[in-house]
Amino acid sequence: MIVAGREGGADGVRIVLETEEAMLLSELADQVDSVLLLGGDDDPALDRLFPSAYRDDEAAARDFERYTRDSLVDGKRQAAQAVRDATAVRRGDGVVEIELDQAQAWGWLTFLTDLRLILAERVGATDPDEAEPADEERDDYLRAAYEWAGVVQGSMLEVLDPIGR
């Protein structure tokens, strides 16, 4: 994976992924979409994605959720769809090059944040520095995906907002 500025100094990000990385991102976007669509009220990952706006006032929290939840879900689903669209590849191409303008890049960052929140909840990483080692192979895969998404996210942020600009 390579994350760099766009050609000619244009604002945004250029991402070069191996085909397998692009397919992984597309699959993870599908999974985020599934959580958003099918996650039940008891899914702790949804609590991470949509924390209560009023922890001390249950009625106000319900009202806030009633008025904002659908648009928040729509925005998160659009971000996941944008990642799926950009990473749609034919097998055997080798690499996938993606050019994102500033707005598209921030949409990707929204997706990566959502993905990492869901994965953190699934592997029990509420505090990445204190997370216990995974016990199962599936958790190892999820933890690796969590860490890899963090690298992509961090690399994009460095390009979009470098320190000392």
Side-chain angles (χ1 to χ4, degrees), residues 94-106:
V95 296
V96 176
E97 295 186 36
I98 302 166
E99 293 267 340
L100 303 172
D101 64 25
Q102 196 87 349
Q104 292 167 323
W106 287 105

Side-chain angles (χ1 to χ4, degrees), residues 110-132:
T110 296
F111 162 75
L112 290 167
T113 298
D114 294 343
L115 170 64
R116 293 190 76 229
L117 285 170
I118 292 168
L119 291 173
E121 188 59 44
R122 298 295 189 245
V123 299
T126 54
D127 180 353
D129 296 330
E130 296 178 12
E132 295 180 16

Side-chain angles (χ1 to χ4, degrees), residues 22 27 54 71 118 120 136:
E27 179 182 316
Y54 301 95
S71 65
I118 292 168
E136 301 175 17

Side-chain angles (χ1 to χ4, degrees), residues 25-58:
L25 265 178
S26 183
E27 179 182 316
L28 291 169
D30 284 340
Q31 292 176 18
V32 167
D33 203 36
S34 292
V35 169
L36 291 167
L37 281 176
L38 306 173
D41 291 336
D42 60 342
D43 187 341
L46 290 175
D47 290 339
R48 296 280 298 266
L49 289 174
F50 306 105
S52 176
Y54 301 95
R55 294 194 186 277
D56 297 332
D57 187 341
E58 194 172 317

